[in-house]
Amino acid sequence: MQKSIGIKKANVAVFISGTGSNFKNLIQHSLKKNSKYKISLVISNKSKAKGLIYAKKYKIHKKVINYKNIRNAEKIIIDLLKRKKIKLICLAGFMKILSANFIKKFKGKIINIHPSLLPKYKGLNTHQKVIKNREKFSGCTVHFVNSKLDSGKIILQKKIKILKGDTSEKVAKRVLKEEHLLYPKALEKILINL
Ligand code: GAR
């Protein structure tokens, strides 16, 4: 009988705060035959984050972190990341700012998805700003996290056209679809070099 040679997949943690559609999408991608990663941990700063249902569904270790004291919160997170042998952190709609210390500790090992064509429109309400400024294009970006908000090195980006009659809701919907294609691609791309 032939023994199958299992390729060891990298342990990834996903940090969420809300709906978790990117989290779900990353899980589903990780289950594909040739994927190089496994989601071993999900962290949420909100106990009611909708996305936590996918932790239950796909049997992923989940931890809700109380962020009242950021030092304590990050200490708990760091312990968990060590215990779970996490190689990479994916922020997916995580609405808390990580401390400079935390970012330094995991330099090159934290990535984020942002719903704009960075460096344009850092921060919140990107789609509203795009519509207000009558931009011709928008999109999404996966980038490394550094100590400045939405400013780390870009890994991959996808552009979409703004159409006549677009609203911020319509753009958000189309961009999110692209996020679901872009994030797994970016993840696989950087895992080769980790
Ligand atoms: C996504 O559009 C993501 O790009 C955005 O939050 C949404 C989360 O959706 N992230 C940011 O704005 C971070 N600055 P999801 O919970 O369905 O994945």
Short mmCIF file of all heavy atoms in Angstrom, two decimals, residues 115-177:
data_model
loop_
_atom_site.label_atom_id
_atom_site.label_comp_id
_atom_site.label_asym_id
_atom_site.label_seq_id
_atom_site.Cartn_x
_atom_site.Cartn_y
_atom_site.Cartn_z
N PRO A 115 -10.57 47.62 1.80
CA PRO A 115 -11.46 47.82 0.65
C PRO A 115 -11.23 49.12 -0.12
O PRO A 115 -12.15 49.91 -0.32
CB PRO A 115 -12.85 47.79 1.29
CG PRO A 115 -12.64 48.34 2.66
CD PRO A 115 -11.25 47.94 3.08
N SER A 116 -9.99 49.34 -0.55
CA SER A 116 -9.72 50.48 -1.46
C SER A 116 -8.43 50.19 -2.20
O SER A 116 -7.71 49.24 -1.87
CB SER A 116 -9.57 51.79 -0.68
OG SER A 116 -8.27 51.89 -0.11
N LEU A 117 -8.15 51.04 -3.16
CA LEU A 117 -6.89 50.92 -3.88
C LEU A 117 -5.85 51.74 -3.11
O LEU A 117 -5.60 52.90 -3.43
CB LEU A 117 -7.04 51.48 -5.31
CG LEU A 117 -7.87 50.65 -6.29
CD1 LEU A 117 -8.00 51.38 -7.62
CD2 LEU A 117 -7.25 49.28 -6.51
N LEU A 118 -5.27 51.12 -2.10
CA LEU A 118 -4.25 51.84 -1.31
C LEU A 118 -3.12 52.28 -2.24
O LEU A 118 -2.86 51.60 -3.23
CB LEU A 118 -3.72 50.92 -0.20
CG LEU A 118 -4.71 50.62 0.93
CD1 LEU A 118 -4.13 49.58 1.89
CD2 LEU A 118 -5.09 51.88 1.69
N PRO A 119 -2.47 53.42 -2.01
CA PRO A 119 -2.54 54.24 -0.80
C PRO A 119 -3.75 55.17 -0.73
O PRO A 119 -3.85 55.97 0.20
CB PRO A 119 -1.24 55.04 -0.86
CG PRO A 119 -0.97 55.18 -2.31
CD PRO A 119 -1.43 53.90 -2.94
N LYS A 120 -4.66 55.07 -1.69
CA LYS A 120 -5.85 55.94 -1.61
C LYS A 120 -6.83 55.39 -0.58
O LYS A 120 -7.01 54.17 -0.49
CB LYS A 120 -6.55 55.97 -2.96
CG LYS A 120 -5.96 56.97 -3.92
CD LYS A 120 -6.89 57.19 -5.08
CE LYS A 120 -6.64 58.54 -5.70
NZ LYS A 120 -7.60 58.84 -6.75
N TYR A 121 -7.48 56.25 0.13
CA TYR A 121 -8.57 55.92 1.05
C TYR A 121 -8.21 54.92 2.14
O TYR A 121 -8.74 53.81 2.19
CB TYR A 121 -9.81 55.46 0.26
CG TYR A 121 -10.23 56.50 -0.74
CD1 TYR A 121 -10.12 56.27 -2.11
CD2 TYR A 121 -10.68 57.73 -0.30
CE1 TYR A 121 -10.46 57.24 -3.03
CE2 TYR A 121 -11.03 58.72 -1.22
CZ TYR A 121 -10.91 58.46 -2.57
OH TYR A 121 -11.25 59.43 -3.47
N LYS A 122 -7.27 55.33 2.97
CA LYS A 122 -6.97 54.55 4.17
C LYS A 122 -8.11 54.77 5.17
O LYS A 122 -8.87 55.72 5.03
CB LYS A 122 -5.66 55.05 4.80
CG LYS A 122 -4.47 54.82 3.88
CD LYS A 122 -3.24 55.53 4.37
CE LYS A 122 -2.13 55.33 3.36
NZ LYS A 122 -0.94 56.14 3.64
N GLY A 123 -8.20 53.91 6.16
CA GLY A 123 -9.20 54.12 7.22
C GLY A 123 -10.59 53.63 6.85
O GLY A 123 -10.74 52.72 6.05
N LEU A 124 -11.58 54.32 7.43
CA LEU A 124 -12.98 53.84 7.31
C LEU A 124 -13.74 54.52 6.18
O LEU A 124 -13.27 55.49 5.59
CB LEU A 124 -13.71 54.10 8.64
CG LEU A 124 -13.13 53.38 9.87
CD1 LEU A 124 -13.85 53.84 11.13
CD2 LEU A 124 -13.21 51.87 9.72
N ASN A 125 -14.92 53.98 5.89
CA ASN A 125 -15.88 54.55 4.93
C ASN A 125 -15.28 54.78 3.54
O ASN A 125 -15.52 55.81 2.90
CB ASN A 125 -16.46 55.87 5.47
CG ASN A 125 -17.08 55.67 6.84
OD1 ASN A 125 -17.73 54.66 7.09
ND2 ASN A 125 -16.85 56.60 7.76
N THR A 126 -14.51 53.83 3.09
CA THR A 126 -13.81 54.00 1.81
C THR A 126 -14.78 54.16 0.64
O THR A 126 -14.56 55.00 -0.22
CB THR A 126 -12.89 52.79 1.55
OG1 THR A 126 -13.70 51.61 1.60
CG2 THR A 126 -11.80 52.67 2.57
N HIS A 127 -15.83 53.34 0.63
CA HIS A 127 -16.72 53.35 -0.54
C HIS A 127 -17.49 54.68 -0.64
O HIS A 127 -17.67 55.21 -1.73
CB HIS A 127 -17.69 52.17 -0.49
CG HIS A 127 -17.00 50.86 -0.33
ND1 HIS A 127 -16.04 50.41 -1.21
CD2 HIS A 127 -17.09 49.90 0.63
CE1 HIS A 127 -15.59 49.24 -0.82
NE2 HIS A 127 -16.20 48.90 0.31
N GLN A 128 -17.88 55.21 0.52
CA GLN A 128 -18.58 56.50 0.52
C GLN A 128 -17.66 57.59 -0.05
O GLN A 128 -18.09 58.44 -0.83
CB GLN A 128 -18.99 56.91 1.95
CG GLN A 128 -20.16 56.12 2.52
CD GLN A 128 -19.72 54.90 3.31
OE1 GLN A 128 -18.75 54.24 2.94
NE2 GLN A 128 -20.44 54.57 4.36
N LYS A 129 -16.39 57.53 0.35
CA LYS A 129 -15.43 58.55 -0.12
C LYS A 129 -15.21 58.43 -1.63
O LYS A 129 -15.10 59.42 -2.35
CB LYS A 129 -14.11 58.42 0.63
CG LYS A 129 -14.22 58.83 2.10
CD LYS A 129 -12.93 58.51 2.85
CE LYS A 129 -13.11 58.63 4.35
NZ LYS A 129 -12.04 57.95 5.11
N VAL A 130 -15.14 57.19 -2.10
CA VAL A 130 -14.93 56.94 -3.53
C VAL A 130 -16.09 57.53 -4.35
O VAL A 130 -15.87 58.19 -5.38
CB VAL A 130 -14.79 55.40 -3.78
CG1 VAL A 130 -15.04 55.04 -5.23
CG2 VAL A 130 -13.40 54.93 -3.34
N ILE A 131 -17.32 57.32 -3.87
CA ILE A 131 -18.50 57.83 -4.59
C ILE A 131 -18.53 59.37 -4.51
O ILE A 131 -18.71 60.05 -5.53
CB ILE A 131 -19.81 57.24 -4.00
CG1 ILE A 131 -19.89 55.74 -4.26
CG2 ILE A 131 -21.05 57.96 -4.53
CD1 ILE A 131 -20.00 55.34 -5.74
N LYS A 132 -18.27 59.89 -3.33
CA LYS A 132 -18.31 61.34 -3.12
C LYS A 132 -17.28 62.05 -4.02
O LYS A 132 -17.55 63.12 -4.57
CB LYS A 132 -18.03 61.63 -1.64
CG LYS A 132 -18.25 63.07 -1.26
CD LYS A 132 -18.26 63.28 0.25
CE LYS A 132 -18.18 64.74 0.57
NZ LYS A 132 -16.96 65.10 1.28
N ASN A 133 -16.13 61.44 -4.17
CA ASN A 133 -15.07 62.06 -4.96
C ASN A 133 -15.14 61.70 -6.45
O ASN A 133 -14.22 61.99 -7.21
CB ASN A 133 -13.69 61.66 -4.41
CG ASN A 133 -13.45 62.26 -3.05
OD1 ASN A 133 -14.13 63.21 -2.65
ND2 ASN A 133 -12.50 61.71 -2.32
N ARG A 134 -16.23 61.06 -6.84
CA ARG A 134 -16.45 60.67 -8.25
C ARG A 134 -15.24 59.97 -8.86
O ARG A 134 -14.79 60.32 -9.97
CB ARG A 134 -16.80 61.89 -9.09
CG ARG A 134 -18.08 62.56 -8.65
CD ARG A 134 -18.27 63.85 -9.41
NE ARG A 134 -19.32 64.65 -8.80
CZ ARG A 134 -20.61 64.50 -9.08
NH1 ARG A 134 -21.00 63.60 -9.96
NH2 ARG A 134 -21.51 65.26 -8.49
N GLU A 135 -14.70 59.01 -8.13
CA GLU A 135 -13.56 58.24 -8.64
C GLU A 135 -14.01 57.38 -9.82
O GLU A 135 -15.16 56.94 -9.88
CB GLU A 135 -13.00 57.33 -7.53
CG GLU A 135 -12.35 58.06 -6.38
CD GLU A 135 -10.97 58.61 -6.73
OE1 GLU A 135 -10.48 58.39 -7.85
OE2 GLU A 135 -10.39 59.27 -5.85
N LYS A 136 -13.08 57.11 -10.72
CA LYS A 136 -13.40 56.24 -11.86
C LYS A 136 -13.20 54.77 -11.49
O LYS A 136 -13.76 53.87 -12.10
CB LYS A 136 -12.50 56.59 -13.04
CG LYS A 136 -12.85 57.91 -13.71
CD LYS A 136 -12.23 57.94 -15.11
CE LYS A 136 -12.76 59.09 -15.92
NZ LYS A 136 -12.24 60.38 -15.47
N PHE A 137 -12.32 54.53 -10.51
CA PHE A 137 -12.00 53.16 -10.10
C PHE A 137 -11.99 53.04 -8.59
O PHE A 137 -11.76 54.01 -7.87
CB PHE A 137 -10.60 52.75 -10.62
CG PHE A 137 -10.49 52.77 -12.11
CD1 PHE A 137 -9.96 53.87 -12.76
CD2 PHE A 137 -10.91 51.67 -12.85
CE1 PHE A 137 -9.86 53.89 -14.14
CE2 PHE A 137 -10.82 51.68 -14.23
CZ PHE A 137 -10.30 52.79 -14.88
N SER A 138 -12.23 51.83 -8.13
CA SER A 138 -11.92 51.51 -6.74
C SER A 138 -11.36 50.09 -6.73
O SER A 138 -10.90 49.61 -7.76
CB SER A 138 -13.15 51.63 -5.84
OG SER A 138 -12.73 51.50 -4.49
N GLY A 139 -11.43 49.43 -5.57
CA GLY A 139 -10.89 48.08 -5.54
C GLY A 139 -10.51 47.65 -4.14
O GLY A 139 -11.04 48.17 -3.15
N CYS A 140 -9.61 46.69 -4.07
CA CYS A 140 -9.18 46.21 -2.75
C CYS A 140 -7.69 45.88 -2.79
O CYS A 140 -7.12 45.68 -3.87
CB CYS A 140 -10.00 45.00 -2.32
SG CYS A 140 -10.17 43.72 -3.56
N THR A 141 -7.12 45.84 -1.60
CA THR A 141 -5.67 45.66 -1.47
C THR A 141 -5.38 44.70 -0.34
O THR A 141 -5.97 44.82 0.74
CB THR A 141 -5.01 47.02 -1.10
OG1 THR A 141 -5.39 48.01 -2.06
CG2 THR A 141 -3.49 46.92 -1.05
N VAL A 142 -4.46 43.77 -0.57
CA VAL A 142 -3.92 42.98 0.55
C VAL A 142 -2.50 43.48 0.78
O VAL A 142 -1.71 43.59 -0.16
CB VAL A 142 -3.92 41.46 0.25
CG1 VAL A 142 -3.33 40.69 1.43
CG2 VAL A 142 -5.33 40.97 -0.04
N HIS A 143 -2.21 43.81 2.03
CA HIS A 143 -0.90 44.40 2.33
C HIS A 143 -0.36 43.90 3.68
O HIS A 143 -1.13 43.41 4.52
CB HIS A 143 -1.02 45.94 2.37
CG HIS A 143 -1.92 46.43 3.47
ND1 HIS A 143 -1.44 46.82 4.70
CD2 HIS A 143 -3.26 46.58 3.54
CE1 HIS A 143 -2.46 47.20 5.47
NE2 HIS A 143 -3.57 47.06 4.79
N PHE A 144 0.95 44.00 3.83
CA PHE A 144 1.55 43.70 5.13
C PHE A 144 1.17 44.82 6.09
O PHE A 144 0.96 45.96 5.68
CB PHE A 144 3.08 43.64 5.02
CG PHE A 144 3.56 42.36 4.37
CD1 PHE A 144 4.01 42.36 3.05
CD2 PHE A 144 3.56 41.16 5.07
CE1 PHE A 144 4.44 41.18 2.45
CE2 PHE A 144 3.99 39.98 4.48
CZ PHE A 144 4.43 39.99 3.17
N VAL A 145 1.07 44.46 7.38
CA VAL A 145 0.72 45.46 8.37
C VAL A 145 1.99 46.02 8.99
O VAL A 145 2.86 45.26 9.42
CB VAL A 145 -0.18 44.83 9.47
CG1 VAL A 145 -0.40 45.78 10.64
CG2 VAL A 145 -1.52 44.42 8.86
N ASN A 146 2.10 47.34 8.98
CA ASN A 146 3.18 47.98 9.72
C ASN A 146 2.56 48.95 10.73
O ASN A 146 1.35 48.95 10.90
CB ASN A 146 4.19 48.65 8.77
CG ASN A 146 3.60 49.82 8.02
OD1 ASN A 146 2.50 50.27 8.32
ND2 ASN A 146 4.32 50.32 7.05
N SER A 147 3.41 49.77 11.35
CA SER A 147 2.88 50.57 12.47
C SER A 147 2.01 51.74 12.02
O SER A 147 1.34 52.36 12.84
CB SER A 147 4.01 51.05 13.36
OG SER A 147 4.90 51.78 12.56
N LYS A 148 1.98 52.01 10.71
CA LYS A 148 1.10 53.10 10.24
C LYS A 148 -0.15 52.51 9.60
O LYS A 148 -0.05 51.53 8.86
CB LYS A 148 1.84 53.95 9.21
CG LYS A 148 2.87 54.86 9.84
CD LYS A 148 3.39 55.84 8.81
CE LYS A 148 4.62 56.52 9.31
NZ LYS A 148 5.61 56.73 8.24
N LEU A 149 -1.29 53.12 9.85
CA LEU A 149 -2.56 52.59 9.39
C LEU A 149 -2.61 52.38 7.87
O LEU A 149 -2.36 53.32 7.10
CB LEU A 149 -3.70 53.55 9.82
CG LEU A 149 -5.11 53.10 9.45
CD1 LEU A 149 -5.54 51.91 10.30
CD2 LEU A 149 -6.09 54.24 9.59
N ASP A 150 -2.92 51.16 7.45
CA ASP A 150 -3.12 50.80 6.04
C ASP A 150 -1.96 51.26 5.13
O ASP A 150 -2.20 51.72 4.01
CB ASP A 150 -4.46 51.39 5.53
CG ASP A 150 -5.65 50.87 6.31
OD1 ASP A 150 -5.60 49.71 6.77
OD2 ASP A 150 -6.62 51.62 6.48
N SER A 151 -0.75 51.14 5.64
CA SER A 151 0.40 51.69 4.91
C SER A 151 1.50 50.69 4.58
O SER A 151 2.49 51.07 3.97
CB SER A 151 1.03 52.83 5.72
OG SER A 151 0.09 53.86 5.87
N GLY A 152 1.36 49.45 5.00
CA GLY A 152 2.44 48.48 4.77
C GLY A 152 2.56 48.08 3.30
O GLY A 152 1.70 48.42 2.48
N LYS A 153 3.62 47.35 3.01
CA LYS A 153 3.91 46.94 1.62
C LYS A 153 2.74 46.17 0.99
O LYS A 153 2.19 45.26 1.60
CB LYS A 153 5.17 46.06 1.65
CG LYS A 153 5.72 45.78 0.30
CD LYS A 153 7.01 44.98 0.39
CE LYS A 153 7.34 44.47 -0.98
NZ LYS A 153 7.89 43.14 -0.97
N ILE A 154 2.42 46.56 -0.23
CA ILE A 154 1.28 45.93 -0.92
C ILE A 154 1.68 44.57 -1.48
O ILE A 154 2.74 44.43 -2.11
CB ILE A 154 0.76 46.88 -2.03
CG1 ILE A 154 0.08 48.09 -1.37
CG2 ILE A 154 -0.21 46.16 -2.96
CD1 ILE A 154 -0.31 49.20 -2.31
N ILE A 155 0.82 43.58 -1.26
CA ILE A 155 1.07 42.22 -1.78
C ILE A 155 0.31 42.04 -3.09
O ILE A 155 0.90 41.69 -4.11
CB ILE A 155 0.62 41.15 -0.75
CG1 ILE A 155 1.39 41.34 0.57
CG2 ILE A 155 0.85 39.75 -1.30
CD1 ILE A 155 0.76 40.66 1.78
N LEU A 156 -0.97 42.30 -3.09
CA LEU A 156 -1.79 42.22 -4.31
C LEU A 156 -2.91 43.26 -4.24
O LEU A 156 -3.38 43.61 -3.16
CB LEU A 156 -2.43 40.84 -4.46
CG LEU A 156 -1.58 39.65 -4.90
CD1 LEU A 156 -2.45 38.39 -4.93
CD2 LEU A 156 -0.94 39.86 -6.27
N GLN A 157 -3.33 43.66 -5.42
CA GLN A 157 -4.39 44.65 -5.50
C GLN A 157 -5.31 44.31 -6.67
O GLN A 157 -4.83 43.76 -7.67
CB GLN A 157 -3.72 46.00 -5.78
CG GLN A 157 -4.46 47.18 -5.26
CD GLN A 157 -3.57 48.40 -5.14
OE1 GLN A 157 -2.75 48.65 -6.02
NE2 GLN A 157 -3.74 49.18 -4.10
N LYS A 158 -6.59 44.60 -6.55
CA LYS A 158 -7.52 44.38 -7.66
C LYS A 158 -8.36 45.63 -7.87
O LYS A 158 -8.92 46.19 -6.91
CB LYS A 158 -8.41 43.17 -7.34
CG LYS A 158 -9.49 42.92 -8.34
CD LYS A 158 -8.97 42.38 -9.65
CE LYS A 158 -10.11 42.31 -10.67
NZ LYS A 158 -9.72 41.69 -11.90
N LYS A 159 -8.41 46.06 -9.13
CA LYS A 159 -9.12 47.29 -9.46
C LYS A 159 -10.51 46.96 -10.02
O LYS A 159 -10.64 45.99 -10.77
CB LYS A 159 -8.28 47.95 -10.56
CG LYS A 159 -8.42 49.41 -10.75
CD LYS A 159 -7.46 49.77 -11.88
CE LYS A 159 -7.13 51.21 -11.90
NZ LYS A 159 -6.20 51.54 -12.99
N ILE A 160 -11.51 47.75 -9.67
CA ILE A 160 -12.81 47.62 -10.35
C ILE A 160 -13.23 48.99 -10.86
O ILE A 160 -12.81 50.02 -10.34
CB ILE A 160 -13.92 47.04 -9.43
CG1 ILE A 160 -14.27 48.02 -8.30
CG2 ILE A 160 -13.59 45.67 -8.90
CD1 ILE A 160 -15.69 47.90 -7.82
N LYS A 161 -14.09 48.97 -11.88
CA LYS A 161 -14.58 50.22 -12.47
C LYS A 161 -15.80 50.72 -11.70
O LYS A 161 -16.66 49.93 -11.32
CB LYS A 161 -14.99 49.93 -13.91
CG LYS A 161 -14.31 50.79 -14.90
CD LYS A 161 -14.79 50.49 -16.27
CE LYS A 161 -14.34 51.66 -17.13
NZ LYS A 161 -14.53 51.44 -18.52
N ILE A 162 -15.87 52.01 -11.49
CA ILE A 162 -17.09 52.59 -10.92
C ILE A 162 -18.06 52.84 -12.09
O ILE A 162 -17.66 53.46 -13.09
CB ILE A 162 -16.80 53.91 -10.16
CG1 ILE A 162 -15.76 53.67 -9.04
CG2 ILE A 162 -18.09 54.51 -9.59
CD1 ILE A 162 -16.17 52.69 -7.97
N LEU A 163 -19.27 52.34 -11.93
CA LEU A 163 -20.24 52.43 -13.03
C LEU A 163 -21.22 53.58 -12.81
O LEU A 163 -21.37 54.07 -11.68
CB LEU A 163 -21.01 51.11 -13.14
CG LEU A 163 -20.16 49.84 -13.21
CD1 LEU A 163 -21.03 48.60 -13.13
CD2 LEU A 163 -19.32 49.83 -14.49
N LYS A 164 -21.87 53.98 -13.89
CA LYS A 164 -22.89 55.04 -13.79
C LYS A 164 -23.98 54.59 -12.82
O LYS A 164 -24.43 53.45 -12.88
CB LYS A 164 -23.49 55.26 -15.18
CG LYS A 164 -23.63 56.71 -15.53
CD LYS A 164 -24.20 56.89 -16.89
CE LYS A 164 -25.06 58.13 -16.86
NZ LYS A 164 -25.93 58.22 -17.99
N GLY A 165 -24.37 55.43 -11.91
CA GLY A 165 -25.46 55.09 -10.98
C GLY A 165 -24.99 54.28 -9.78
O GLY A 165 -25.81 53.83 -8.98
N ASP A 166 -23.68 54.09 -9.66
CA ASP A 166 -23.17 53.33 -8.51
C ASP A 166 -23.45 54.04 -7.19
O ASP A 166 -23.38 55.27 -7.12
CB ASP A 166 -21.65 53.12 -8.65
CG ASP A 166 -21.32 51.69 -9.07
OD1 ASP A 166 -22.22 50.82 -8.98
OD2 ASP A 166 -20.17 51.44 -9.47
N THR A 167 -23.73 53.26 -6.16
CA THR A 167 -23.84 53.80 -4.80
C THR A 167 -22.73 53.13 -3.99
O THR A 167 -22.14 52.14 -4.46
CB THR A 167 -25.18 53.40 -4.16
OG1 THR A 167 -25.25 51.97 -4.16
CG2 THR A 167 -26.35 53.97 -4.93
N SER A 168 -22.48 53.64 -2.79
CA SER A 168 -21.42 53.03 -1.98
C SER A 168 -21.77 51.57 -1.66
O SER A 168 -20.90 50.71 -1.60
CB SER A 168 -21.18 53.83 -0.70
OG SER A 168 -22.36 53.92 0.04
N GLU A 169 -23.07 51.28 -1.50
CA GLU A 169 -23.49 49.89 -1.20
C GLU A 169 -23.17 48.97 -2.38
O GLU A 169 -22.69 47.86 -2.20
CB GLU A 169 -25.00 49.81 -0.90
CG GLU A 169 -25.42 50.44 0.42
CD GLU A 169 -25.55 51.96 0.36
OE1 GLU A 169 -25.54 52.53 -0.77
OE2 GLU A 169 -25.65 52.59 1.43
N LYS A 170 -23.47 49.47 -3.59
CA LYS A 170 -23.22 48.63 -4.78
C LYS A 170 -21.73 48.37 -4.95
O LYS A 170 -21.30 47.28 -5.28
CB LYS A 170 -23.76 49.34 -6.04
CG LYS A 170 -25.26 49.26 -6.20
CD LYS A 170 -25.63 49.86 -7.55
CE LYS A 170 -27.13 50.02 -7.69
NZ LYS A 170 -27.48 50.80 -8.89
N VAL A 171 -20.94 49.44 -4.72
CA VAL A 171 -19.49 49.30 -4.86
C VAL A 171 -18.97 48.33 -3.79
O VAL A 171 -18.14 47.45 -4.09
CB VAL A 171 -18.78 50.67 -4.76
CG1 VAL A 171 -17.26 50.50 -4.78
CG2 VAL A 171 -19.22 51.58 -5.88
N ALA A 172 -19.46 48.47 -2.57
CA ALA A 172 -19.02 47.59 -1.47
C ALA A 172 -19.26 46.12 -1.83
O ALA A 172 -18.40 45.27 -1.60
CB ALA A 172 -19.77 47.94 -0.19
N LYS A 173 -20.40 45.86 -2.43
CA LYS A 173 -20.76 44.49 -2.79
C LYS A 173 -19.80 43.94 -3.85
O LYS A 173 -19.31 42.81 -3.74
CB LYS A 173 -22.19 44.51 -3.36
CG LYS A 173 -23.00 43.32 -2.92
CD LYS A 173 -24.44 43.52 -3.33
CE LYS A 173 -25.17 42.21 -3.29
NZ LYS A 173 -26.56 42.35 -3.71
N ARG A 174 -19.53 44.77 -4.87
CA ARG A 174 -18.64 44.29 -5.95
C ARG A 174 -17.20 44.15 -5.45
O ARG A 174 -16.49 43.23 -5.83
CB ARG A 174 -18.69 45.24 -7.15
CG ARG A 174 -20.00 45.19 -7.91
CD ARG A 174 -19.82 45.48 -9.39
NE ARG A 174 -19.12 46.72 -9.67
CZ ARG A 174 -19.67 47.93 -9.57
NH1 ARG A 174 -20.91 48.08 -9.16
NH2 ARG A 174 -18.97 49.01 -9.87
N VAL A 175 -16.79 45.09 -4.59
CA VAL A 175 -15.42 45.02 -4.06
C VAL A 175 -15.27 43.77 -3.18
O VAL A 175 -14.27 43.06 -3.27
CB VAL A 175 -15.04 46.30 -3.28
CG1 VAL A 175 -13.75 46.10 -2.50
CG2 VAL A 175 -14.88 47.48 -4.24
N LEU A 176 -16.28 43.48 -2.37
CA LEU A 176 -16.20 42.32 -1.48
C LEU A 176 -16.03 41.02 -2.28
O LEU A 176 -15.27 40.13 -1.89
CB LEU A 176 -17.44 42.24 -0.58
CG LEU A 176 -17.36 41.27 0.59
CD1 LEU A 176 -16.25 41.64 1.57
CD2 LEU A 176 -18.68 41.19 1.35
N LYS A 177 -16.72 40.95 -3.41
CA LYS A 177 -16.58 39.78 -4.29
C LYS A 177 -15.12 39.62 -4.71
O LYS A 177 -14.57 38.53 -4.73
CB LYS A 177 -17.44 39.98 -5.54
CG LYS A 177 -18.60 39.04 -5.63
CD LYS A 177 -19.22 39.15 -6.98
CE LYS A 177 -20.50 38.33 -6.99
NZ LYS A 177 -21.33 38.63 -8.14
#
